[in-house]
Amino acid sequence: MQRVFNNAIETGVRMVVILTESKKSLDLQQLIFYDHLTLHFGDVDSKYISLHPSNPFHSTEYIVKRKLVQEGLNIVIAKGLVDVEYSAEGIKYKANKSSEHFLSYFESEYYKKLKFFAYQVALRFNDYSLNELTNYFRLNIGQWKGEFEKEVLFRGEEVV
């Protein structure tokens, strides 16, 4: 069965957007965190409505995204949209000239919001080290789940 949403191609395009907006090299774990924060920016700043809706597992979905993000990266790397950097720090990924050219063809409202939230994530988290970003997730993960539970309770649905 071919997945229409949340597949490697969609994820790969998101990686191009995130890398272009961050304007820096990111490793795989940083990309996973940035992807989650981009899609659920309302968790970071409550004055915004997240690009993707809350669900019972959204607070932990970043944990299982590694394979999908890696598959997406492999596609955009093969197409020359992202560069791979090897260093003593490990493997990092970076947008290149083709990244911005590729993205110039996108016009949808979803894309505009995705780009906006990726930019907001970069503004807020580009100065965080991987350890600081990991700690940010550890400290806030419980609150994110709580927000979904509050929303469900407000609507009168049962929380499992």
Side-chain angles (χ1 to χ4, degrees):
M1 180 175 92
Q2 183 69 20
R3 291 170 58 162
V4 176
F5 298 108
N6 207 21
N7 61 36
I9 294 170
E10 176 187 354
T11 303
V13 171
R14 278 200 318 265
M15 295 305 106
V16 175
V17 172
I18 289 167
L19 289 167
T20 300
E21 293 303 316
S22 73
K23 305 213 183 311
K24 71 179 220 170
S25 301
L26 297 170
D27 69 17
L28 180 61
Q29 188 58 53
Q30 288 170 310
L31 277 169
I32 292 167
F33 285 144
Y34 274 49
D35 186 49
H36 184 86
L37 294 168
T38 298
L39 297 177
H40 302 288
F41 196 75
D43 290 343
V44 177
D45 190 332
S46 61
K47 71 179 179 188
Y48 294 102
I49 296 173
S50 294
L51 187 58
H52 286 189
S54 292
N55 65 65
F57 306 107
H58 98 266
S59 63
T60 56
E61 70 186 30
Y62 76 94
I63 296 169
V64 296
K65 273 193 174 182
R66 180 172 293 278
K67 182 178 181 219
L68 186 59
V69 169
Q70 187 63 68
E71 289 172 355
L73 280 169
N74 289 343
I75 291 169
V76 295
I77 291 165
K79 298 298 180 187
L81 299 172
V82 169
D83 292 336
V84 182
E85 298 176 342
Y86 301 94
S87 71
E89 295 176 4
I91 301 170
K92 291 194 174 189
Y93 306 92
K94 187 170 183 157
N96 59 35
K97 290 178 183 177
S98 296
S99 305
E100 287 193 34
H101 181 70
F102 171 72
L103 294 176
S104 71
Y105 291 97
F106 288 81
E107 299 175 345
S108 72
E109 285 304 311
Y110 179 88
Y111 168 72
K112 290 174 187 174
K113 290 177 184 176
L114 177 66
K115 183 177 175 174
F116 172 79
F117 286 128
Y119 177 73
Q120 294 301 315
V121 169
L123 278 179
R124 194 166 297 213
F125 296 100
N126 264 0
D127 292 334
Y128 279 48
S129 68
L130 179 56
N131 285 339
E132 291 169 326
L133 202 50
T134 301
N135 286 334
Y136 178 84
F137 268 73
R138 285 188 183 138
L139 291 172
N140 290 287
I141 200 78
Q143 294 173 14
W144 297 339
K145 181 179 179 188
E147 287 302 311
F148 173 77
E149 289 173 352
K150 287 179 202 169
E151 180 182 317
V152 169
L153 290 172
F154 179 74
R155 291 192 319 242
E157 296 174 18
E158 185 176 328
V159 178
V160 182

